[in-house]
Amino acid sequence: MKKIIFLMLALSGFAFAAEGSMNQWLASFSILAAGLGLGVAALGGAIGMGNTAAATIAGTARNPGLGGKLMTTMFIALAMIEAQVIYALVIALIALYANPFQALVAA
């Protein structure tokens, strides 16, 4: 855990190295937040998908007759999990390219 924190602090130095207006600071924070947020969302989605697949395989192994229904339910659950990761991607792209906080800083 200490290595991860040290790496984040070391890399944030490059993001904040630019001297200038508050918009540059905001852009740097937005880049860091988008990267970290999307990474956490992808990690959570991968864990959720793995648990869903494992539960489906275990259910099919216990009762092979329900395999078709379990697979259908699994695909619906995977689509919902993936939708959450896509929402995180959309929010990250908004933070990077159409940052609503830049209007607040400029005012």
Side-chain angles (χ1 to χ4, degrees):
M1 187 65 176
K2 291 179 185 177
K3 292 179 184 178
I4 294 173
I5 293 173
F6 178 73
L7 182 64
M8 286 175 33
L9 290 175
L11 293 178
S12 67
F14 291 110
F16 301 129
E19 296 179 9
S21 67
M22 189 65 177
N23 282 338
Q24 291 176 341
W25 279 93
L26 184 63
S28 300
F29 279 125
S30 297
I31 291 168
L32 286 174
L36 290 174
L38 196 55
V40 169
L43 177 69
I47 291 171
M49 287 181 182
N51 288 339
T52 303
T56 303
I57 292 169
T60 303
R62 289 181 183 172
N63 191 353
L66 290 177
K69 289 184 179 181
L70 289 175
M71 288 293 281
T72 302
T73 305
M74 181 190 75
F75 286 132
I76 292 170
L78 289 178
M80 290 183 184
I81 293 169
E82 189 65 30
Q84 297 299 316
V85 177
I86 292 172
Y87 292 151
L89 174 66
V90 169
I91 290 171
L93 290 175
I94 288 171
L96 288 176
Y97 296 111
N99 199 333
F101 297 110
Q102 286 182 348
L104 296 175
V105 172

